[in-house]
Amino acid sequence: MSEKEKYEPSKVEDNYYKIWEDRGYFEIEGNKSIQELDESGKQKTFSIMMPPPNVTGSLHIGHALTFTLQDIITRYKRMDGFKTLWQPGTDHAGIATQNVVEKQLLAEGTTKEELGREKFLERAWLQKETSGGNIVHQMRKLGVTPAWKRERFTMDEGLKEAVKEAFVSLYNDGHISQNNYMVNWCTHDGALSDIEVEHEEVNGKFYTMIYKFADGSGELEVATTRPETYFGDTAIMVHPDDSRYTDIVGKEVLLPLTDRKIKVITDSHVDMEFGTGVVKVTPAHDQNDYEVGKRHDLEFIKVFDEKGILNDYCGEFAGLERLEARPIIVKALENAGYIVKIEEHVHQVGHCYRCKNIVEPFISQQWFLSEKIAKSSIDKTKAHNNFHPQHWINSYTAWMDELRPWCISRQLWWGHRIPVFTCNSCNHQWADKNDTPEKCPKCGEKHYTQDPDVLDTWFSSALWAMSPLGWGNNGKLEDLYNEVEDMKNFYPNSLLITGFDIMFFWVARMMMMGDHFQGELPFKDIYMHALVRDETGAKMSKSKGNVIDPLDMVEEHSADIIRFTLAYLAVQGRDIKLGAKNLEQFRNFTNKLYNASNFLTMNVDTFPDLNDIEIKTPLGLYMQSRLSHAVEDVRESLESFKFNESASILYKFVWTEFCDWGIEYSKASKESIVELGAIFKETLKMVSPFMPFISDFLYHNLSGTSLEEGADSLMVCNFPKNIAKNEEVESMFAIIEEAITALRRAKVVIDMGNSKIAKAYIKLDVSIDKDVAKPFIEKLAKVENIEFVDAKVENSITDVSDNLEVYLPTSEIDMSPIIDKLTKQKEKTQKEFDKLNGMLSNERFVANAPESVVAENKKALEDAKNKLEKIENELKAIS
């Protein structure tokens, strides 16, 4: 390989990627010349939707894993004759993006309120353009091949239409309603759905407070973890069967520091064994108390507003922020004698998944999607269980069986505005697909108000399996899709690949929406990959300083190495431990590919494709047959999404079978090198989905063609299949390899493992073509002359294996240096043995020495004894 042909990833990768993209290879007709029909005569199709990354920054290594696995399967299907759609896109990520923009504004000394809604949204769109462009750049650096011309954004004109189509349909069918309901409330980000709350153990406190009876007859002790909410208490509660408190049921107590009276009630929700068995009821600020409040028709008193600021119900503490108020309120209660004790208490507290703020149960008017629309998708998913690994069905079922109404409204500016309007005249409320309805459909008045909230980000994402295909786009952005054809060809999607952490945020909701609107689940298969951790198994985080940036890795190692490493480590259901040693291992693999190509081109200038040559030599027939097995195994593992197995099969075939054996064999069979080159080119087609850049480069180098000068890329060549096998030749080469291995072992005994010897004998227990086998064995075992015999050769070093015995005649080898070496080893080992034996025969030593020292010496004595026996056997064999 000349200097100009040297492989430099940094130059090749960007250049090749541009060529691939400019030629339209990534689009659905990019492989038109090799597209095939299935057995029924229909076009084979494959579709996969990219989990759209948030436009909040840049990609992390988890994204790199997702995109790499998606690209491998997409490239494989594209090469296998499928009309292939890998749909790219990015997500507007309501809360996350709004938080990013708000932080930018704060750094500039202003706020979103000062800017106003319209100007704020302009800034959010700027963030989308900047971050979205950065993300797409990173994807390209990884070599991924989605249909870029069809790229979508969850707030583009077409998907806005799809969101309105879905919302209005669900609203009109009664599945969406507005209610005052207790929700998870972040005082920064507003309403959150259940899965947007992360529960963490925190070291808190248990405050036991006194509530005095209004008639002055005594007092009750009540424990709470949130004393700042007691101003919203509307009852004290005991268990109806608790005999300790029978006499006080119905009595009134006074709230500490106030004159407000509340009653003692009974409810079986109370745990008599916990604390004092007396519980305060705060219906507006506790999920369980909310249900109690509804059962007993209690008053619902909110003691702080949407921002967490205490109100007038809290008396002198009004105006304080809820968490900052806690120690101040506790101090006042202590001073007034209302605190009995304060104990340390570890308990679970909900945090906002985005800003990590402590989440409050909070009664608020929100929009909800009924959980009933999920029933059909849940039943179908349980029946089919198309998860990989399959155990994810258990997590899915556990969550979905407890599904509650989905709070779909968010108190944000960035997102899909809720398409609900209220007439200013008659108060009629309706949902409308038109952004500016002409008039109220009830009274005809033209003055109305639109709901100020936006939809949860995941509402638009839940349509992602079908909305980019044109569903509900109402004619917008028609140049990006063909709604009729695309829905027919690509829905249901063939496969979804995503991280398990968004199963409920996204996957379950796509199942729900897809099944509701299309009558069938949106995915034939769902592959859930695990987390990428550092090499010690720790989760990556900025605070730990162990975050791996995919672009840095590409810069340092190459996209091919990153891709192959991630695929090789992606065992289904197991977290990936990614470290320098893995990357080094696969850097060596790319070197192996390069060196194999280099060896071939040093012997022959260019090579034909395997389909254009008849394989005739024994070595060619053998390597072709071994390739056939590898192809079948790679295909089978890819079809079942076992990416690590397919990468491992490739690695083993290239490294061990082709390079370590095939290339070495060819040194005894120069006439086979052209055939080996054709076989290696076919192997590169199999490597292409995993390592697309180096495989394309080496393929064209071996072919004498150039991608730059118009030759087709491997990515639009047929993936190998139906390659001829030859079991007879495979059996013969298995015996050849066995003989070589046995001879190498025998030579090690006489310390001549890497040296050439003059003569060796082989006694076979099976029949093979000895004339074919002889030169291969002689070359690779480094024996000048092999002779096949029918009986044991006396006075020889012998190695026995399953199908043969080999003999190295001692009469033809100068054994004196070996005997001297073994004799010296024997003398040294004997001294060691005698010394240890003497120590352990000494009763005083054994009695006084620590047990660990005695045990260590006993083991050393046993090792020395075994070593002596081995040396004596070797001396006996060569004497």
Side-chain angles (χ1 to χ4, degrees):
M1 201 173 282
S2 65
E3 188 59 36
K4 69 181 174 64
E5 294 163 325
K6 188 176 179 184
Y7 184 67
E8 295 181 52
S10 59
K11 292 181 181 176
V12 170
E13 291 182 352
D14 287 347
N15 183 29
Y16 276 22
Y17 192 90
K18 187 174 187 312
I19 293 170
W20 296 338
E21 187 174 357
D22 288 348
R23 291 185 188 171
Y25 288 153
F26 309 166
E27 308 305 320
I28 60 174
E29 299 296 349
N31 64 336
K32 192 169 182 62
S33 62
I34 60 167
Q35 286 179 7
E36 298 174 358
L37 304 180
D38 63 18
E39 291 171 359
S40 66
K42 287 176 59 182
Q43 169 67 57
K44 297 197 302 185
T45 59
F46 175 82
S47 57
I48 183 169
M49 296 300 191
M50 176 185 290
N54 295 347
V55 288
T56 50
S58 56
L59 300 184
H60 53 65
I61 196 66
H63 290 120
L65 173 63
T66 304
F67 297 145
T68 294
L69 299 183
Q70 288 177 8
D71 194 52
I72 288 168
I73 199 76
T74 299
R75 285 176 177 272
Y76 163 66
K77 291 292 184 179
R78 191 184 283 128
M79 293 176 73
D80 208 29
F82 286 75
K83 178 183 276 193
T84 302
L85 169 63
W86 180 14
Q87 176 64 53
T90 48
D91 189 48
H92 67 280
I95 292 175
T97 304
Q98 180 146 328
N99 280 338
V100 167
V101 178
E102 284 195 55
K103 284 176 185 173
Q104 291 170 357
L105 294 175
L106 285 172
E108 296 166 17
T110 186
T111 65
K112 77 177 196 300
E113 287 77 15
E114 289 176 22
L115 209 60
R117 186 165 191 149
E118 194 175 322
K119 290 286 185 187
F120 177 82
L121 292 177
E122 287 177 14
R123 283 295 296 264
W125 278 104
L126 179 63
Q127 167 64 25
K128 179 264 173 185
E129 293 303 322
T130 306
S131 176
N134 186 26
I135 286 167
V136 168
H137 167 70
Q138 287 179 299
M139 287 190 208
R140 285 182 158 94
K141 293 295 279 187
L142 278 168
V144 302
T145 58
W148 285 122
K149 289 180 180 174
R150 299 173 60 119
E151 184 185 350
R152 303 300 295 269
F153 176 55
T154 52
M155 278 173 55
D156 70 29
E157 289 304 313
L159 298 195
K160 272 188 188 174
E161 292 294 317
V163 167
K164 288 185 286 186
E165 182 76 34
F167 186 98
V168 172
S169 170
L170 291 165
Y171 179 94
N172 289 341
D173 289 344
H175 298 300
I176 289 177
S177 57
Q178 191 178 36
N179 297 303
N180 275 317
Y181 193 71
M182 179 158 278
V183 297
N184 306 295
W185 188 268
C186 171
T187 57
H188 180 260
D189 293 321
L192 303 173
S193 65
D194 291 345
I195 52 176
E196 290 172 314
V197 180
E198 295 176 344
H199 292 275
E200 299 172 16
E201 275 196 351
V202 299
N203 295 316
K205 288 183 168 59
F206 217 37
Y207 304 88
T208 302
M209 299 169 56
I210 289 172
Y211 286 66
K212 294 179 180 179
F213 288 114
D215 61 7
S217 61
E219 60 192 31
L220 289 173
E221 290 185 5
V222 181
T224 180
T225 58
R226 301 169 66 221
E228 70 279 4
T229 65
Y230 88 87
F231 296 105
D233 292 357
T234 53
I236 292 292
M237 182 165 62
V238 295
H239 196 282
D241 299 334
D242 196 333
S243 58
R244 293 174 294 175
Y245 302 116
T246 305
D247 295 343
I248 67 167
V249 175
K251 293 187 73 170
E252 291 182 325
V253 296
L254 290 169
L255 278 185
L257 303 180
T258 77
D259 295 328
R260 192 156 63 81
K261 296 174 185 177
I262 57 176
K263 275 190 176 181
V264 179
I265 64 171
T266 62
D267 194 282
S268 56
H269 171 71
V270 178
D271 181 356
M272 289 188 286
E273 307 301 320
F274 186 73
T276 61
V278 182
V279 181
K280 71 190 198 70
V281 186
T282 321
H285 293 286
D286 181 278
Q287 186 65 56
N288 293 320
D289 291 359
Y290 177 75
E291 299 300 330
V292 171
K294 287 198 293 184
R295 282 200 295 274
H296 294 272
D297 198 24
L298 298 176
E299 188 179 359
F300 288 72
I301 297 174
K302 291 199 280 191
V303 300
F304 52 77
D305 65 13
E306 289 88 348
K307 298 297 181 186
I309 306 301
L310 301 190
N311 59 26
D312 290 341
Y313 279 102
C314 305
E316 64 186 281
F317 308 107
L320 295 175
E321 197 278 332
R322 63 192 167 129
L323 298 179
E324 293 170 1
R326 181 178 297 173
I328 299 169
I329 292 171
V330 169
K331 187 69 176 169
L333 289 167
E334 282 181 309
N335 291 341
Y338 285 105
I339 297 286
V340 176
K341 59 183 173 180
I342 302 174
E343 302 166 280
E344 296 298 319
H345 180 61
V346 177
H347 60 133
Q348 293 276 337
V349 175
H351 292 75
C352 174
Y353 83 120
R354 282 296 177 196
C355 69
K356 309 309 176 191
N357 184 16
I358 288 178
V359 168
E360 297 285 352
F362 193 75
I363 294 174
S364 176
Q365 190 176 62
Q366 302 290 340
W367 290 99
F368 293 88
L369 175 61
S370 170
E371 77 280 11
K372 291 173 184 170
I373 78 152
K375 186 179 185 315
S376 172
S377 67
I378 293 169
D379 292 343
K380 288 177 183 176
T381 303
K382 287 179 181 178
H384 295 106
N385 187 13
N386 53 351
F387 286 106
H388 305 269
Q390 286 197 334
H391 68 76
W392 282 114
I393 191 67
N394 300 326
S395 301
Y396 172 87
T397 299
W399 180 270
M400 299 304 281
D401 283 350
E402 299 297 322
L403 200 61
R404 298 197 305 165
W406 172 14
C407 175
I408 56 174
S409 47
R410 295 292 181 270
Q411 290 64 55
L412 303 171
W413 287 354
W414 175 245
H416 290 276
R417 189 88 175 262
I418 290 176
V420 172
F421 302 85
T422 304
C423 177
N424 295 350
S425 297
C426 71
N427 285 326
H428 174 64
Q429 195 177 64
W430 77 99
D432 204 309
K433 288 185 272 188
N434 193 330
D435 288 338
T436 53
E438 188 181 334
K439 60 186 178 181
C440 169
K442 185 176 181 183
C443 71
E445 185 60 55
K446 296 189 177 182
H447 298 289
Y448 52 80
T449 306
Q450 184 173 0
D451 192 294
D453 288 351
V454 300
L455 286 163
D456 178 8
T457 296
W458 301 100
F459 188 93
S460 53
S461 298
L463 306 173
W464 189 249
M466 53 191 182
S467 57
L469 303 176
W471 179 88
N473 283 218
N474 295 328
K476 299 288 177 71
L477 305 180
E478 280 185 306
D479 55 321
L480 297 182
Y481 58 85
N482 179 323
E483 183 177 349
V484 175
E485 285 299 306
D486 288 354
M487 285 297 288
K488 184 178 78 175
N489 287 333
F490 302 125
Y491 189 94
N493 305 163
S494 309
L495 174 66
L496 176 70
I497 296 181
T498 189
F500 69 86
D501 52 331
I502 55 173
M503 177 191 279
F504 306 113
F505 282 111
W506 190 45
V507 180
R509 286 167 175 170
M510 281 194 288
M511 310 275 263
M512 176 199 311
M513 293 293 215
D515 181 63
H516 177 77
F517 286 109
Q518 296 300 319
E520 56 184 327
L521 294 175
F523 313 107
K524 293 170 187 168
D525 289 287
I526 302 168
Y527 175 95
M528 311 288 288
H529 68 69
L531 292 175
V532 183
R533 299 178 178 271
D534 72 11
E535 55 197 327
T536 68
K539 192 171 180 178
M540 292 185 189
S541 69
K542 289 177 183 175
S543 60
K544 289 179 185 170
N546 63 348
V547 172
I548 295 176
D549 184 301
L551 271 196
D552 290 344
M553 292 171 71
V554 169
E555 196 70 32
E556 184 178 352
H557 298 282
S558 83
D560 282 334
I561 291 170
I562 306 313
R563 293 165 61 99
F564 197 82
T565 303
L566 290 169
Y568 193 93
L569 298 176
V571 180
Q572 280 192 11
R574 193 182 303 167
D575 284 348
I576 289 174
K577 293 181 184 178
L578 181 63
K581 67 179 187 300
N582 308 119
L583 296 163
E584 194 56 41
Q585 177 184 359
F586 299 114
R587 179 191 293 280
N588 294 337
F589 183 56
T590 58
N591 291 340
K592 201 78 170 174
L593 288 166
Y594 181 84
N595 291 337
S597 177
N598 204 10
F599 169 82
L600 292 165
T601 53
M602 282 194 301
N603 288 276
V604 177
D605 287 338
T606 60
F607 297 85
D609 265 22
L610 189 57
N611 291 339
D612 299 330
I613 186 175
E614 184 184 354
I615 304 295
K616 297 177 179 177
T617 68
L619 176 56
L621 291 167
Y622 170 64
M623 287 312 304
Q624 179 178 248
S625 194
R626 294 310 303 155
L627 172 66
S628 180
H629 288 289
V631 165
E632 286 178 0
D633 292 345
V634 166
R635 278 179 166 275
E636 184 182 343
S637 56
L638 281 175
E639 293 291 349
S640 55
F641 319 118
K642 292 174 180 169
F643 296 95
N644 64 303
E645 285 186 15
S646 53
S648 179
I649 293 158
L650 267 177
Y651 184 89
K652 182 184 173 189
F653 176 74
V654 169
W655 192 291
T656 305
E657 298 203 58
F658 190 87
C659 295
D660 288 357
W661 286 105
I663 284 180
E664 291 306 308
Y665 281 141
S666 74
K667 293 170 184 176
S669 174
K670 294 289 185 186
E671 69 278 10
S672 68
I673 288 181
V674 170
E675 295 176 355
L676 288 189
I679 290 163
F680 188 64
K681 283 175 64 179
E682 201 70 10
T683 303
L684 290 170
K685 292 177 185 177
M686 192 163 54
V687 173
S688 177
F690 298 83
M691 307 175 88
F693 295 105
I694 193 169
S695 55
D696 240 3
F697 177 86
L698 296 178
Y699 177 86
H700 288 297
N701 200 57
L702 291 163
S703 304
T705 55
S706 166
L707 189 69
E708 293 94 326
E709 292 172 15
D712 270 340
S713 165
L714 282 186
M715 67 179 290
V716 290
C717 292
N718 286 113
F719 196 87
K721 65 180 172 184
N722 301 329
I723 293 171
K725 287 192 179 74
N726 190 315
E727 289 183 11
E728 186 181 341
V729 171
E730 282 201 57
S731 299
M732 178 178 69
F733 271 89
I735 298 300
I736 290 171
E737 185 177 324
E738 189 178 331
I740 293 163
T741 304
L743 285 164
R744 287 173 176 172
R745 280 199 303 263
K747 287 168 68 183
V748 168
V749 172
I750 56 173
D751 207 19
M752 296 186 74
N754 290 318
S755 304
K756 197 163 193 176
I757 62 172
K759 184 84 173 178
Y761 299 91
I762 300 176
K763 181 169 82 70
L764 295 170
D765 297 337
V766 293
S767 176
I768 62 169
D769 189 327
K770 294 169 185 173
D771 291 334
V772 170
K774 190 172 187 291
F776 290 116
I777 299 171
E778 288 173 344
K779 185 73 176 176
L780 272 71
K782 293 187 178 177
V783 178
E784 287 180 15
N785 185 23
I786 291 290
E787 188 175 321
F788 293 96
V789 294
D790 296 325
K792 178 176 171 59
V793 176
E794 298 300 327
N795 301 319
S796 62
I797 306 298
T798 304
D799 187 279
V800 180
S801 61
D802 292 344
N803 299 295
L804 52 86
E805 294 179 19
V806 300
Y807 313 107
L808 309 184
T810 54
S811 59
E812 297 185 29
I813 302 168
D814 181 3
M815 305 302 290
S816 54
I818 300 149
I819 292 170
D820 286 346
K821 182 180 176 183
L822 288 171
T823 302
K824 285 174 184 173
Q825 283 181 355
K826 181 182 175 182
E827 289 169 0
K828 183 181 176 185
T829 307
Q830 186 67 54
K831 282 182 184 176
E832 181 92 10
F833 177 86
D834 293 342
K835 178 185 171 187
L836 290 163
N837 194 41
M839 286 169 65
L840 291 167
S841 300
N842 184 332
E843 291 180 4
R844 287 180 63 190
F845 170 77
V846 174
N848 296 322
E851 278 186 36
S852 60
V853 173
V854 174
E856 195 178 309
N857 279 286
K858 282 183 178 177
K859 185 179 182 307
L861 180 68
E862 186 66 24
D863 290 345
K865 180 184 175 186
N866 292 338
K867 191 174 179 183
L868 266 176
E869 287 178 8
K870 186 181 175 190
I871 293 169
E872 284 169 353
N873 288 336
E874 288 180 8
L875 280 167
K876 190 189 252 184
I878 62 178
S879 299

